């Protein structure tokens, strides 16, 4: 369901697109698509994990939660903007942009926390990426609502 959306996102931004979900206190990459353009691409492996408190993907997930006194400035900013931008947090030179994906709550009151985003080496047009990432998150959210 999300792979075609990730491919479109990768093409629009000329960056590697990803879908991450929360597992415990870690962000886990569950799907990736690379752009066709460009000489170099960022390889982001499915299954890659990092602390939810670091990187655009994790911050976007945390920004989807209700406000808390323990929120960092990055989480507050992402909540206000609707997306997160980080540079060099997970890997030197890598720039990430991500937006939260909300899941519908099932009959047991459970849902999942996720984010969609892009990652590239320095030089990513973050304005274009933010617009595309937010639009892709909205498309995924609409698919989850049906």
């Amino acid at each position: 369901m999300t792979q075609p959306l990730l491919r479109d996102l990768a093409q629009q931004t000329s960056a590697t697109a990803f879908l991450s979900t929360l597992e415990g206190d870690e962000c886990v990459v569950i799907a990736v698509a690379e752009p066709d353009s460009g000489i170099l691409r960022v390889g982001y492996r499915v299954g890659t994990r990092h602390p939810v408190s670091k990187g655009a993907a994790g911050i976007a997930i945390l920004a989807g939660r209700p406000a808390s006194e323990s929120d960092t400035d990055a989480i507050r900013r992402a909540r206000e903007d609707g997306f997160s931008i980080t540079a060099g947090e997970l890997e030197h030179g890598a720039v990430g942009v991500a937006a939260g994906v909300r899941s519908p709550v099932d009959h047991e009151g459970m849902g999942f926390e996720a984010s969609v985003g892009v990652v590239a080496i320095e030089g990513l047009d973050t304005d274009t990426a933010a617009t595309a990432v937010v639009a892709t998150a909205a498309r995924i959210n609409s698919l989850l609502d049906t």
Side-chain angles (χ1 to χ4, degrees):
M1 163 176 87
T2 59
Q3 201 62 40
L5 297 176
L6 290 178
R7 278 194 298 274
D8 288 347
L9 179 58
Q11 295 306 95
Q12 289 172 40
T13 60
S14 298
T16 300
F18 61 85
L19 181 65
S20 294
T21 190
L22 189 65
E23 189 174 295
D25 60 354
E26 292 183 313
C27 213
V28 182
V29 177
I30 59 172
V32 173
E34 293 183 355
D36 292 333
S37 61
I39 297 171
L40 298 174
R41 297 181 191 142
V42 172
Y44 204 19
R45 292 185 323 269
V46 170
T48 298
R49 296 172 173 272
H50 62 82
V52 70
S53 59
K54 293 187 116 190
I59 292 169
I61 289 172
L62 295 174
R65 293 179 174 176
S68 163
E69 288 184 20
S70 64
D71 287 344
T72 63
D73 288 341
I75 295 168
R76 286 187 204 92
R77 190 170 35 259
R79 188 176 290 121
E80 185 176 305
D81 294 342
F83 59 89
S84 173
I85 298 176
T86 61
E89 283 197 11
L90 298 179
E91 194 70 41
H92 180 73
V95 177
V97 180
V101 173
R102 59 174 172 71
S103 75
V105 177
D106 66 17
H107 65 282
E108 296 177 4
M110 301 294 288
F112 64 89
E113 296 175 287
S115 64
V116 63
V118 295
V119 62
I121 300 301
E122 295 169 349
L124 176 68
D125 180 341
T126 56
D127 291 336
T128 298
T131 300
V133 163
V134 169
T136 301
R139 290 175 69 193
I140 293 171
N141 285 335
S142 69
L143 290 171
L144 292 171
D145 286 339
T146 57

